[in-house]
Amino acid sequence: MANNLKRLFSDTMIYGVSSIVGRFLNYLLVPLYTYKIAASSGGYGVVTELYAYTALMLVILTFGMETTFFYFANKNKDRAEAVFSTSALTVGSVSALFVILLGLLLVPVSKAMGYAAHPEYVMMMGCVVALDAFQAIFFAWLRFRGQAWKFAALKLLFIVCNIGLNLFVFLVAPRLSVSHPGLMRWYNPNWQVGYVFAVNLLCTAGVTLGFLPELGYLRHGIDRSLVRKMLRYTWPLLLLGVAGILNQVADKIIYRHLVTGPDGEVQLGIYGACVKIAMIMALITQAFRYAYEPFVFGGGRSRESSESQAAVMKYFVIFALLAFLVVMAYLDIFKYIIHSGYWEGLRAVPVVMMAEILMSVYFNLSFWYKLAGKTWWGAVFSAAGCVVLLAVNIFGVPRFGYMACAWGGVAGYGVCLLLSYCVGHKLAPVPYDVKRILAYFVLALTLYGLSVWFRPEPLGWRLAWNTLLVAVYFAAALWFERDLWLPAIKRKKG
């Protein structure tokens, strides 16, 4: 088990280069957008809403084929190339059809979404999500083959290009339009939101070129008998994915329908900007997932695999709660990521972060039905969580605003987590150390409560106090998990 955990940690660190470090660099765009797009304009609300739609459509267009690819590729390793080709061409065909239909129905679709004045926003993001869906299978292929470095390089390429072009459009282009108007006839200072989407489309298209060597595997075409088996396996994953992503983005999609008028866009923009601070949990989960899926599917349902899953769950929770405490301890510094006009939404950050942690735990608990091929259980759990989330939003947003969105996530993921654990414990038990995990939650929340209850002034004293609280958690984790690291130190001394 130790070797498996070591391999998992190594892969997670490499994937973390692209997801955590890379996305942290991408956070440069958050202050850029919030400082250049005024909160009162509601422009960042448009960005938040359309990216929420994009996340939903990405799940629909991939329809669980990433997980399905891993399942069938590991079952038929001698035919892995055929499985990849079938997966990629199937997703690619669906994505191409989506773009064609969106182009034909662009006017009514844009009007229905509330963007009749800017249908180009909708079309650009439609093309982005189609390319992302197609690329998702290629990235899964890299993960399957253990090409973590190429995976990281392509992810970082997108981020570097995205940051560079955004900096040019928002900082350099306005000055050039004044000094060299003849060269900048294309630049429109009133189309700032449009440039956000245009840059994303250019960078996404550019990354596709990085998969030219992998395109050769598509010569295997689509295996009709195989694709039928894959579709039978994946359709519950589609329901699972839709319900799961709705738990993440439904609040942003329906917010303007619950809070009408310009204030709806303004409040959504404030919430969306502050949620970016909380998204460090999503970055950690994403890096972990990229390494963990091949790890679990490769191990199957062996006893050693179950023990590894239990150990990984505990250590992941420890690290996630540590990240939570660090962000909350230094929120007075992290808040400068966004413009002060958005700061009123900072109260949602701890709630959203806790929702992300619950989602991460639910992800860890989901493998029992994926390994057993009973993916419909995931659809049931996520649908139940989605119903709870929507109920909290529909009844809570008109009264409590975006705070209801934050608490809706906690409630929805909490329901998913409890259902998955209770059913999985009966059908496919994994020896999770539940008492120890709950103890870490209690400790972390208690320390966070102390940081809220006692806030010394000036800021330096407050940061010192919060640092002490984080150190208490870290020391407690080291002590209780000393069986993991203490033997290694003794061996080195010996």
Side-chain angles (χ1 to χ4, degrees), residues 333-388:
I333 297 175
F334 287 127
K335 69 182 181 181
Y336 288 99
I337 291 175
I338 59 178
H339 189 272
S340 58
Y342 295 81
W343 284 359
E344 70 173 78
L346 291 173
R347 56 201 174 108
V349 172
V351 184
V352 174
M353 285 198 73
M354 192 52 60
E356 288 291 332
I357 292 175
L358 295 180
M359 183 189 72
S360 304
V361 174
Y362 172 51
F363 169 77
N364 278 276
L365 292 171
S366 69
F367 281 99
W368 69 263
Y369 57 77
K370 292 179 181 178
L371 289 170
K374 298 179 180 179
T375 48
W376 58 271
W377 274 113
V380 172
F381 302 149
S382 293
C386 186
V387 169
V388 171

Side-chain angles (χ1 to χ4, degrees), residues 60-183:
I60 293 174
L61 293 181
T62 53
F63 49 94
M65 267 294 180
E66 289 176 275
T67 300
T68 301
F69 162 73
F70 281 118
Y71 180 80
F72 281 89
N74 278 288
K75 285 185 64 176
N76 305 275
K77 290 188 176 180
D78 56 329
R79 299 192 62 226
E81 293 181 5
V83 175
F84 165 68
S85 177
T86 298
S87 304
L89 289 175
T90 302
V91 172
S93 299
V94 172
S95 300
L97 180 61
F98 166 74
V99 171
I100 293 171
L101 290 176
L102 180 61
L104 294 174
L105 302 173
L106 183 59
V107 173
V109 169
S110 301
K111 185 177 180 180
M113 294 175 62
Y115 295 104
H118 292 285
E120 71 276 14
Y121 294 175
V122 177
M123 192 67 217
M124 284 189 291
M125 293 313 294
C127 293
V128 166
V129 74
L131 286 172
D132 277 341
F134 186 53
Q135 290 177 10
I137 307 302
F138 285 80
F139 279 117
W141 175 248
L142 296 182
R143 290 156 59 195
F144 173 77
R145 300 189 67 187
Q147 295 179 269
W149 287 109
K150 180 171 182 177
F151 180 102
L154 290 177
K155 289 289 185 179
L156 286 173
L157 173 65
F158 169 83
I159 291 166
V160 170
C161 292
N162 194 31
I163 291 174
L165 287 177
N166 270 284
L167 291 175
F168 174 79
V169 167
F170 283 93
L171 298 181
V172 180
R175 297 180 181 180
L176 287 179
S177 66
V178 175
S179 60
H180 299 80
L183 296 175

Side-chain angles (χ1 to χ4, degrees), residues 4-43:
N4 287 337
L5 292 176
K6 183 178 179 180
R7 179 168 58 87
L8 174 63
F9 177 77
S10 175
D11 286 350
T12 301
M13 291 300 295
I14 297 174
Y15 290 124
V17 171
S18 58
S19 57
I20 298 178
V21 177
R23 289 281 292 274
F24 181 77
L25 293 175
N26 209 24
Y27 270 144
L28 291 173
L29 299 180
V30 178
L32 180 67
Y33 293 156
T34 58
Y35 278 81
K36 291 297 181 179
I37 303 175
S40 58
S41 71

Side-chain angles (χ1 to χ4, degrees), residues 38-328:
S40 58
S41 71
Y44 199 73
V46 175
V47 174
T48 299
E49 183 180 13
L50 281 180
Y51 272 114
Y53 275 110
T54 300
L56 174 60
M57 288 309 304
L58 180 61
V59 170
I60 293 174
L61 293 181
T62 53
F63 49 94
M65 267 294 180
E66 289 176 275
T67 300
T68 301
F69 162 73
F70 281 118
Y71 180 80
F72 281 89
N74 278 288
K75 285 185 64 176
N76 305 275
K77 290 188 176 180
D78 56 329
R79 299 192 62 226
E81 293 181 5
V83 175
F84 165 68
S85 177
T86 298
S87 304
L89 289 175
T90 302
V91 172
S93 299
V94 172
S95 300
L97 180 61
F98 166 74
V99 171
I100 293 171
L101 290 176
L102 180 61
L104 294 174
L105 302 173
L106 183 59
V107 173
V109 169
S110 301
K111 185 177 180 180
M113 294 175 62
Y115 295 104
H118 292 285
E120 71 276 14
Y121 294 175
V122 177
M123 192 67 217
M124 284 189 291
M125 293 313 294
C127 293
V128 166
V129 74
L131 286 172
D132 277 341
F134 186 53
Q135 290 177 10
I137 307 302
F138 285 80
F139 279 117
W141 175 248
L142 296 182
R143 290 156 59 195
F144 173 77
R145 300 189 67 187
Q147 295 179 269
W149 287 109
K150 180 171 182 177
F151 180 102
L154 290 177
K155 289 289 185 179
L156 286 173
L157 173 65
F158 169 83
I159 291 166
V160 170
C161 292
N162 194 31
I163 291 174
L165 287 177
N166 270 284
L167 291 175
F168 174 79
V169 167
F170 283 93
L171 298 181
V172 180
R175 297 180 181 180
L176 287 179
S177 66
V178 175
S179 60
H180 299 80
L183 296 175
M184 303 297 291
R185 291 171 184 166
W186 57 269
Y187 178 74
N188 181 358
N190 299 317
W191 204 62
Q192 288 179 314
V193 173
Y195 289 128
V196 174
F197 304 134
V199 168
N200 194 334
L201 177 57
L202 285 173
C203 296
T204 303
V207 170
T208 306
L209 299 177
F211 291 111
L212 289 176
E214 284 73 25
L215 289 175
Y217 295 112
L218 300 185
R219 66 183 182 277
H220 295 280
I222 296 178
D223 186 322
R224 294 185 180 181
S225 63
L226 177 60
V227 78
R228 284 194 291 268
K229 295 177 183 177
M230 296 179 77
L231 290 176
R232 280 196 297 270
Y233 179 89
T234 201
W235 74 262
L237 288 178
L238 170 60
L239 299 179
L240 166 63
V242 170
I245 198 64
L246 282 175
N247 281 329
Q248 298 180 52
V249 302
D251 52 352
K252 303 171 187 67
I253 290 175
I254 67 175
Y255 196 91
R256 287 200 306 135
H257 300 284
L258 299 173
V259 182
T260 57
D263 191 54
E265 285 186 354
V266 172
Q267 293 298 311
L268 179 58
I270 291 172
Y271 176 61
C274 290
V275 163
K276 290 292 185 181
I277 299 176
M279 283 299 102
I280 188 171
M281 291 311 312
L283 306 185
I284 293 171
T285 303
Q286 186 182 53
F288 175 75
R289 177 190 170 189
Y290 286 151
Y292 197 45
E293 277 188 325
F295 170 79
V296 173
F297 281 111
R301 303 179 67 184
S302 65
R303 178 180 177 181
E304 183 180 357
S305 177
S306 295
E307 293 175 352
S308 296
Q309 289 180 54
V312 168
M313 168 71 88
K314 182 175 65 172
Y315 299 134
F316 177 80
V317 168
I318 293 171
F319 184 73
L321 290 172
L322 175 63
F324 168 80
L325 287 174
V326 168
V327 172
M328 298 317 303

